[in-house]
Amino acid sequence: MVSYGQKMFTTTHAGDVMALEYSSYLNLNDVQLDTKSVTIDFTSVLDKPTIGFGMSYTNNSLDFVAYDRFHDYSAFEELHSIELFARYKKALRNNWDVNVTVAPYVSSTFNEAISSDDFILSYAGSFTKTWDKDGLKSSLKIGAGYGSLFGKPNFYPLLSYSKHVNDKLRYEIGMPVTGVFYKLNEQNSFDFKAEPESIYANNTSDFSMTNNEVVYNSELEFKALKLGLGYQFRFDDNWSTHFNMGYLLASELTLSENDNTIYDFDSKESLSLNIGISFNINKK
């Protein structure tokens, strides 16, 4: 599962799950990034309308060993994100749905006491139109959101068209996700997606720059476009696991203060590996 603060846009929700996930970015220009997360998601407490809620915790570990001889980046070696989210969905007329998600979260190094700069209020709203022809569904989503989907918190569009070509094949075109999804059988499925990857975390502790100037409120920002090939295997009605091998394009890893870049690690391209396991509570 992924952070709703970053990815409230997905049209492929797997609701009512508990999930563990591990990701590794193999080489962001000599910076190693490993991510571990746990998510508890209860999507359908009520059926009509649907009210969902959940929480997640993400730990990002960065290794700056190759840069230690130039400067001390230890303040940014451990990043933490704690998030609560609530989701509301209501059916409207003519097969339209309205979806609203609110996800406040803290994203920080936790090196000092938490400040207001560590808090981010992310949210998203959209309308979805669904068609059903001969048992094959298509949908159109239109909306917008606010969060750290593309790095520093900002507004972003939600616009996508999804269509089932047959019982096994579905494609989705839009912003922020474009992909192809293939279900081989009840146990095995594959996907190929283009989607954003991002991290944004605040650091309230002092950070000494190379000119001996001390900054007391800085941010780490990571953003990239990921092309990923994924595989999911269902053990039974409850348990499933997934793997993803990705290639990151146009990645950026920077430290900044008040929109002024302190240091650019010039991360460029990288390979990524993701593995996760989830428990589906409702056997959907």
Side-chain angles (χ1 to χ4, degrees), residues 15-16 234 236-238 279-284:
D16 296 346
R234 293 185 62 186
D236 52 35
D237 289 339
N238 291 111
F279 178 77
N280 193 334
I281 301 169
N282 278 347
K283 300 183 181 180
K284 293 181 179 179

Side-chain angles (χ1 to χ4, degrees), residues 6 22-36 58-65 76-79 197-200 220-224 248 251-253 267 270-274:
Q6 297 176 5
Y22 170 79
S23 300
S24 180
Y25 302 85
L26 304 183
N27 187 358
L28 297 171
N29 196 17
D30 293 327
V31 176
Q32 176 70 33
L33 169 61
D34 295 307
T35 298
K36 298 173 284 293
T58 302
N59 171 265
N60 297 292
S61 299
L62 294 99
D63 186 345
F64 297 99
V65 172
F76 296 94
E77 289 180 349
E78 295 290 333
L79 312 176
E197 291 276 298
S198 66
I199 297 172
Y200 184 82
L220 181 142
E221 180 180 6
F222 169 66
K223 54 185 178 181
L248 272 58
S251 70
E252 297 180 23
L253 178 63
S267 56
S270 173
L271 294 177
S272 66
L273 177 65
N274 173 279

